[in-house]
């Protein structure tokens, strides 16, 4: 537990260090401070103090956790949260058990740190692999033959769509499983119940880091369903694999480069919750909530449902376009 006793040990260990820029390279650091470096880092982040201020700080457990809660309030102001949202997160913060117990959690840290990379690879994979799913009929001039299927256009469309969804979802699932196996295989499974604040220090919810990993990659798999259908919808709409590839790719790059200022609250949430922008720690565990009939929900509870709804609408619209298509100009 990060309690009064551990805080005093940590500060005492760092007081034995020489005051210099590269103090971590000294023998004193390895001898006295290295075993407490993770706790020292948490104290700095939770309080906002620099190294010198922490070393001179008089350790106090109550002050530490009160300051940590105050940092949550500061994040609420920076994110322009409403009173209802602040009340929601205050209720969540009140349920966090203190003192927080530090646990070795390197496997889950690794999993969450790679979340953005895996999401980026999944989006590109779906765009590249599925962009030619429908246009190939036009470019190879086989559409006359393909559309003469005995079971009709509608069944043909759903078979092709289901095949593409399977490719996109299984690809995302394989990336997820590989990431988990590598991280857990190297570092072990310890730390599933560690508090989220040990890794994502600005998060105000009562969530363990293991559950956070499950939530993040669950959102990734749902996003894989939507992006697969979206790419195939574009390929049928424009009859072009280039358009079906370039539009999602441009959206992915825009999601990485463009950030809507926090003052434009609604526009910012819409932009951050697009499938090409959403797969980041700060969006999946966003402090901004979604209000449904007066009830506040975190983004990871609502956004996947919206993705499933959007995927259904795109699939139905694509079916109508495909079944009404006529072959001409041959």
């Amino acid at each position: 537990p990060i309690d009064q006793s551990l805080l005093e040990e940590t500060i005492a260990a760092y007081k034995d260090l020489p005051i210099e820029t590269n103090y971590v390279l000294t023998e004193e650091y390895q001898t006295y401070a290295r075993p407490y470096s993770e706790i020292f880092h948490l104290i700095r982040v939770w309080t906002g103090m620099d190294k010198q201020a922490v070393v001179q700080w008089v350790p106090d457990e109550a002050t530490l956790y009160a300051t940590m809660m105050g940092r949550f309030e500061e994040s609420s102001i920076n994110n322009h949260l409403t009173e209802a949202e602040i009340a929601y997160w205050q209720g969540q913060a009140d349920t966090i058990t203190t003192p927080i117990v530090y646990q070795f959690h390197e496997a889950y840290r690794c999993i969450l740190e790679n979340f953005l990379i895996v999401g980026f690879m999944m989006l590109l994979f779906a765009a590249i692999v599925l962009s030619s799913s429908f246009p190939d009929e036009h470019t190879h001039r086989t559409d006359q033959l393909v559309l003469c299927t005995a079971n009709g256009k509608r069944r043909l469309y759903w078979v092709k769509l289901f095949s593409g969804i399977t490719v996109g979802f299984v690809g995302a699932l394989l990336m997820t499983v590989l990431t988990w196996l590598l991280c857990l295989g190297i570092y072990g499974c310890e730390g599933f119940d560690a508090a989220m604040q040990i890794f994502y220090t600005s998060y105000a919810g009562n969530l363990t880091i293991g559950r956070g990993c499950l939530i993040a990659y669950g959102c990734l798999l749902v996003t894989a369903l939507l992006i697969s259908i979206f790419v195939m919808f574009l390929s049928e709409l424009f009859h072009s694999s280039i358009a079906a590839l370039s539009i999602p790719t441009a959206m992915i790059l825009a999601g990485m480069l463009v950030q809507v200022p926090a003052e434009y609250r609604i526009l910012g949430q819409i932009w951050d919750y697009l499938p090409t922008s959403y797969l980041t720690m700060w969006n999946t565990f966003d402090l901004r909530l979604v209000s449904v009939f007066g009830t506040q929900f975190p983004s990871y509870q609502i956004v996947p449902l919206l993705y499933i709804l959007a995927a259904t609408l795109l699939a139905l619209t694509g079916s109508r376009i495909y079944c009404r298509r006529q072959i001409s100009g041959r």
Side-chain angles (χ1 to χ4, degrees), residues 22-176:
N22 295 322
Y23 69 95
V24 296
L25 302 178
T26 63
E27 182 179 350
E28 290 87 348
Y29 174 81
Q30 298 297 331
T31 303
Y32 301 108
R34 183 67 183 89
Y36 299 94
S37 59
E38 284 286 318
I39 306 304
F40 187 80
H41 169 73
L42 288 175
I43 295 173
R44 290 187 59 180
V45 175
W46 286 349
T47 62
M49 294 188 290
D50 59 18
K51 173 185 175 293
Q52 296 302 326
V54 175
V55 170
Q56 298 172 7
W57 176 57
V58 177
D60 184 76
E61 177 185 338
T63 301
L64 173 68
Y65 290 108
T67 305
M68 183 182 74
M69 298 305 173
R71 300 283 287 182
F72 293 158
E73 296 177 3
E74 181 180 337
S75 298
S76 300
I77 296 173
N78 294 335
N79 286 278
H80 296 267
L81 301 189
T82 64
E83 293 184 2
E85 290 171 328
I86 294 175
Y88 175 89
W89 290 117
Q90 185 61 54
Q92 286 283 306
D94 291 341
T95 62
I96 297 175
T97 302
T98 57
I100 291 177
V101 178
Y102 181 86
Q103 300 182 50
F104 179 80
H105 58 283
E106 201 62 30
Y108 305 100
R109 177 195 297 271
C110 177
I111 290 171
L112 288 176
E113 286 179 343
N114 284 284
F115 176 54
L116 174 61
I117 299 173
V118 176
F120 179 76
M121 292 175 60
M122 179 275 294
L123 294 171
L124 285 182
F125 171 80
I128 293 171
V129 173
L130 300 176
S131 59
S132 60
S133 54
F134 285 100
D136 277 353
E137 299 176 7
H138 306 281
T139 56
H140 297 300
R141 295 178 177 265
T142 58
D143 45 5
Q144 288 180 327
L145 178 62
V146 171
L147 295 179
C148 288
T149 172
N151 293 316
K153 293 181 180 180
R154 189 172 302 277
R155 181 170 294 185
L156 174 62
Y157 169 80
W158 289 108
V159 168
K160 288 170 67 70
L161 189 73
F162 180 76
S163 299
I165 292 174
T166 303
V167 170
F169 182 81
V170 171
L173 183 62
L174 288 175
M175 296 178 194
T176 298

Side-chain angles (χ1 to χ4, degrees), residues 13-26:
Y14 271 79
K15 283 185 177 179
D16 293 330
L17 298 182
I19 301 176
E20 55 183 62
T21 304
N22 295 322
Y23 69 95
V24 296
L25 302 178
T26 63

Side-chain angles (χ1 to χ4, degrees), residues 69-324:
M69 298 305 173
R71 300 283 287 182
F72 293 158
E73 296 177 3
E74 181 180 337
S75 298
S76 300
I77 296 173
N78 294 335
N79 286 278
H80 296 267
L81 301 189
T82 64
E83 293 184 2
E85 290 171 328
I86 294 175
Y88 175 89
W89 290 117
Q90 185 61 54
Q92 286 283 306
D94 291 341
T95 62
I96 297 175
T97 302
T98 57
I100 291 177
V101 178
Y102 181 86
Q103 300 182 50
F104 179 80
H105 58 283
E106 201 62 30
Y108 305 100
R109 177 195 297 271
C110 177
I111 290 171
L112 288 176
E113 286 179 343
N114 284 284
F115 176 54
L116 174 61
I117 299 173
V118 176
F120 179 76
M121 292 175 60
M122 179 275 294
L123 294 171
L124 285 182
F125 171 80
I128 293 171
V129 173
L130 300 176
S131 59
S132 60
S133 54
F134 285 100
D136 277 353
E137 299 176 7
H138 306 281
T139 56
H140 297 300
R141 295 178 177 265
T142 58
D143 45 5
Q144 288 180 327
L145 178 62
V146 171
L147 295 179
C148 288
T149 172
N151 293 316
K153 293 181 180 180
R154 189 172 302 277
R155 181 170 294 185
L156 174 62
Y157 169 80
W158 289 108
V159 168
K160 288 170 67 70
L161 189 73
F162 180 76
S163 299
I165 292 174
T166 303
V167 170
F169 182 81
V170 171
L173 183 62
L174 288 175
M175 296 178 194
T176 298
V177 171
L178 181 60
T179 301
W180 280 67
L181 287 179
L182 286 174
C183 295
L184 294 175
I186 294 172
Y187 298 109
C189 301
E190 183 182 352
F192 185 90
D193 294 327
M196 191 69 159
Q197 287 72 27
I198 292 178
F199 169 71
Y200 193 28
T201 55
S202 62
Y203 187 64
N206 188 2
L207 194 65
T208 66
I209 191 171
R211 287 177 56 201
C213 290
L214 293 175
I215 290 170
Y217 282 83
C219 291
L220 185 145
L221 293 176
V222 175
T223 306
L225 294 177
L226 175 58
I227 201 67
S228 298
I229 295 176
F230 178 63
V231 171
M232 288 186 287
F233 173 81
L234 292 177
S235 70
E236 172 57 22
L237 180 64
F238 295 106
H239 297 171
S240 169
S241 59
I242 296 177
L245 174 60
S246 59
I247 293 175
T249 302
M251 293 177 63
I252 294 170
L253 295 176
M256 296 174 60
L257 300 175
V258 178
Q259 183 176 5
V260 179
E263 292 81 4
Y264 302 100
R265 171 60 189 273
I266 297 177
L267 179 61
Q269 272 189 283
I270 293 174
W271 178 258
D272 290 339
Y273 293 171
L274 291 176
T276 50
S277 306
Y278 186 63
L279 298 179
T280 62
M281 284 285 297
W282 50 90
N283 287 333
T284 302
F285 300 101
D286 194 358
L287 293 180
R288 297 169 299 180
L289 302 175
V290 179
S291 179
V292 180
F293 301 113
T295 303
Q296 306 291 333
F297 294 95
S299 69
Y300 60 78
Q301 293 182 351
I302 294 298
V303 171
L305 297 178
L306 295 177
Y307 283 2
I308 293 174
L309 176 61
T312 302
L313 293 176
L314 283 174
L316 293 175
T317 304
S319 174
R320 183 175 179 82
I321 294 173
Y322 189 81
C323 292
R324 291 171 61 90

